[in-house]
Amino acid sequence: MKTILVLGAGTGGIVTARELSKHSGNEDDINLVNILVFEKEERSVFAPSLPWLMVGQRKPEQIYESYKKLDASGLEVISGEIENVDPENISVTVKGKVYKGDYMVVSLGVEQKNDFNLDKFGYNFFTLDGATRFNKELDILVVGKIAILVSSLPFKSPAAPYEAAMLIEDYVRKAEISSKVEVALYSPEGGPMEFAGPEASKELKILLENKGIKYYPNHQVTNVTADTLEFSNGKSYKYNLLAYTPKHEAPAVIRSSSLAGESGWIEANRQTLETKFPNVYAIGDITDIKLDTGVSFPKIGIFAREQAEIVAHNIGRKIGNNLPDHTFKGEGQYYIEYGKGLASTTDVNFYEDPKEPHVKMKTPEVLGHWHKWWAEKYWFFKNF
Ligand SMILES: Cc1cc2nc3c(=O)[nH]c(=O)nc-3n(C[C@H](O)[C@H](O)[C@H](O)COP(=O)(O)OP(=O)(O)OC[C@H]3O[C@@H](n4cnc5c(N)ncnc54)[C@H](O)[C@@H]3O)c2cc1C
C-alpha cells in the first residue's frame, strides 16, 4: 500500500487529503492508500472569515473546527510540530519519530513574525486571537483614528487589508461615529494588489476612495510606538487603534531543508507543482512561483485549493500506473467584501497572457457577498 505524507492541514493540506482519499479508491472498508496528515495546531481556522470577525459579523467559534473532526477514508492526522523534512528520502520527523512515504505534498503555509514589537501595540488580524481582540476594541471606540498597516511584503491574501478597511468603514458608518473616526490604510505596496496589474489595482483604489478611507501606498513602517507609526519616507501617523499584517516567512523547518529555494520559499513547477525532488510536491502559500513578469504568484487560498486538487489527482494517476494529466492553469475567482452586504467578484488568470495578468473586478454586488458566505459554509460542511 502506498503512503502519502501531507504536510500541514490548512487549506491546501485538507483539500489534498480529501481528494487523495476520493481519487485513490479508498472507501469505508477498503483503503488502497495511507494518507498521513501532519499538523501542529489543534484547530483549523477559516481565514477568509477573519475580516468578518474583526467587525463582529462572526463569533470566533463560528470560524474554526477541530482537526480531530477531519474525516476521510484512509486519512490519519498526526498531531505535532514537524521537526525535520527530508525530501530525498520522502520522510518527516515528528516528536522524534520518522514517517516515510512514497509521495509528499508540502502545504505548510507561512510563518508569521512579530516585527517592530507590533504585537505590543496592535492586533494581528491574520490570527483568530488578534481579530477577536481587535473587535473588542472596535466595539468600545467612539472617537479616534484606526490604522490598518501592511507591515511587510510579501503577505498572503493581498486583498485582505483592503477588505478589512472597507468592512471597518462600514461598521463605523453603521455605528454613526464616522464623523469622529478616521480609517487609514498604510502599505509598502505602490498600489492595492499591484501584482494584479494596473486595471484591478485602480478599481480597488477607487472603491477605497469612494468610502472615504485614507490610503497611503509606498509607506514602509520602520518604527512603532504606543500611538505612532513611523515610515521610511519620514512620514508618521498618530493612531488610537491598530490592526496589522505580520511579516511572513517560509516556516523554519523548510528554510533549513534542501527544499528551500534562494528566497527561502519552495520553488515548484508552475504547472505540475512538483519540486526538484521526484514525487515531492509543494502547493499554496509556501511556494514561490515566478511569473514571466518577474512577479511572484500571489498567496491566496483559492490557488492552494486548486493546486491541491490537481496534485491529488495526479498522484492518484501515478499510483494507478497512469501518466499525470492535470495541470495548474493559474486561474481562479475570489471575493472582496465591500460592506453594505456587497462583495466584488474577482476573476483572475495569471498564465494566459504572460505579460499582463488578467484580473477583472466586478462592481460590488449582493451575489458576490453570498458567494463568499456560501464558500465559508461549504468549507465546513465538506471537510468536517
Ligand atoms: C485575513 C485573511 C483573509 C483571507 N481571505 C482569503 C479569501 O477571501 N480567499 C482566499 O482564497 N484566501 C484568503 N486568505 C488566504 C488563505 O487563507 C491562504 O492563502 C491559505 O490558507 C493557504 O493555504 P496553505 O495550505 O498554503 O497554508 P495554510 O492554510 O496556512 O496551512 C498551513 C498549515 O501548516 C501548519 N504548519 C506549519 N508549520 C508546521 C510544522 N512545522 N509542523 C506541523 N504543521 C505545520 C499550520 O499550522 C497550518 O495549519 C486569507 C488569509 C487571511 C489571513
Side-chain angles (χ1 to χ4, degrees):
M1 191 196 293
K2 299 286 185 199
T3 296
I4 302 130
L5 310 179
V6 179
L7 281 54
T11 309
I14 289 176
V15 175
T16 304
R18 190 188 68 217
E19 292 295 310
L20 276 169
S21 174
K22 201 167 88 187
H23 285 301
S24 46
N26 278 18
E27 287 172 21
D28 286 346
D29 52 357
I30 169 165
N31 287 338
L32 299 181
V33 295
N34 197 12
I35 305 157
L36 302 182
V37 183
F38 299 87
E39 176 56 52
K40 65 181 165 72
E41 303 293 340
E42 286 181 0
R43 57 195 184 188
S44 161
V45 177
F46 187 69
S49 302
L50 289 170
W52 281 332
L53 178 60
M54 292 174 84
V55 294
Q57 291 182 22
R58 289 292 181 278
K59 295 199 164 40
E61 58 277 15
Q62 289 177 302
I63 66 165
Y64 67 79
E65 268 296 357
S66 164
Y67 288 119
K68 290 198 181 107
K69 286 177 80 180
L70 268 183
D71 189 23
S73 178
L75 181 157
E76 187 188 342
V77 180
I78 314 280
S79 298
E81 177 131 15
I82 300 168
E83 294 140 15
N84 186 44
V85 178
D86 178 353
E88 283 95 345
N89 293 305
I90 313 195
S91 72
V92 297
T93 310
V94 177
K95 295 178 187 159
K97 184 172 171 188
V98 178
Y99 296 82
K100 172 122 185 58
D102 302 285
Y103 299 89
M104 183 191 276
V105 183
V106 186
S107 193
L108 290 175
V110 309
E111 196 167 277
Q112 301 192 7
K113 296 274 169 199
N114 178 40
D115 258 12
F116 311 110
N117 284 323
L118 273 162
D119 66 342
K120 264 169 76 182
F121 307 120
Y123 300 95
N124 173 3
F125 72 98
F126 273 31
T127 64
L128 187 75
D129 179 57
T132 307
R133 290 193 295 126
F134 175 85
N135 175 249
K136 289 199 176 125
E137 292 298 320
L138 183 64
D139 253 357
I140 53 175
L141 186 93
V142 285
V143 57
K145 294 181 174 179
I146 303 175
I148 296 123
L149 173 73
V150 175
S151 72
S152 80
L153 305 176
F155 62 100
K156 62 179 165 180
S157 194
Y162 301 96
E163 191 175 47
M166 292 195 284
L167 286 174
I168 292 166
E169 184 279 334
D170 197 48
Y171 174 97
V172 164
R173 198 173 25 77
K174 281 192 193 134
E176 297 181 352
I177 51 173
S178 38
S179 59
K180 291 176 280 176
V181 174
E182 178 175 288
V183 182
L185 198 160
Y186 283 87
S187 173
E189 298 165 290
M193 300 200 307
E194 270 185 314
F195 66 91
E199 206 183 310
S201 186
K202 191 171 150 207
E203 279 170 39
L204 187 48
K205 195 161 171 246
I206 291 170
L207 291 187
L208 293 173
E209 283 166 2
N210 287 348
K211 286 183 143 271
I213 294 165
K214 298 200 177 304
Y215 176 50
Y216 301 95
N218 297 311
H219 278 66
Q220 173 59 60
V221 74
T222 48
N223 192 39
V224 183
T225 67
D227 63 359
T228 308
L229 300 173
E230 288 167 14
F231 300 96
S232 57
N233 56 11
K235 305 259 172 64
S236 63
Y237 185 66
K238 281 220 176 267
Y239 68 87
N240 300 96
L241 179 57
L242 170 65
Y244 66 90
T245 68
K247 182 176 174 167
H248 289 18
E249 275 183 6
V253 71
I254 291 302
R255 275 184 281 127
S256 62
S257 80
S258 48
L259 270 171
E262 260 175 45
S263 60
W265 305 96
I266 304 177
E267 286 159 22
N269 180 292
R270 65 190 233 167
Q271 271 149 350
T272 66
L273 288 316
E274 198 163 16
T275 65
K276 59 187 174 191
F277 300 97
N279 296 328
V280 176
Y281 297 82
I283 60 171
D285 292 351
I286 199 153
T287 56
D288 185 14
I289 297 174
K290 284 272 180 289
L291 298 169
D292 294 355
T293 49
V295 173
S296 288
F297 198 83
K299 301 182 188 304
I300 309 180
I302 50 160
F303 299 125
R305 285 202 289 274
E306 177 71 11
Q307 293 169 350
E309 288 187 10
I310 286 156
V311 166
H313 171 90
N314 286 341
I315 291 176
R317 297 268 307 169
K318 282 188 177 180
I319 290 172
N321 288 323
N322 296 307
L323 285 175
D325 60 355
H326 281 192
T327 53
F328 179 56
K329 301 206 164 39
E331 60 190 359
Q333 187 174 70
Y334 63 92
Y335 311 98
I336 303 175
E337 285 279 289
Y338 176 76
K340 299 182 176 172
L342 310 174
S344 192
T345 303
T346 309
D347 288 301
V348 302
N349 187 327
F350 288 98
Y351 288 0
E352 199 174 81
D353 179 350
K355 295 221 180 57
E356 200 153 308
H358 284 214
V359 183
K360 291 261 168 296
M361 264 183 76
K362 285 194 190 141
T363 307
E365 50 177 7
V366 176
L367 195 62
H369 172 71
W370 286 113
H371 270 302
K372 184 147 181 154
W373 178 90
W374 171 245
E376 178 199 58
K377 303 290 168 260
Y378 188 66
W379 176 257
F380 289 113
F381 165 75
K382 194 155 185 195
N383 296 308
F384 296 94

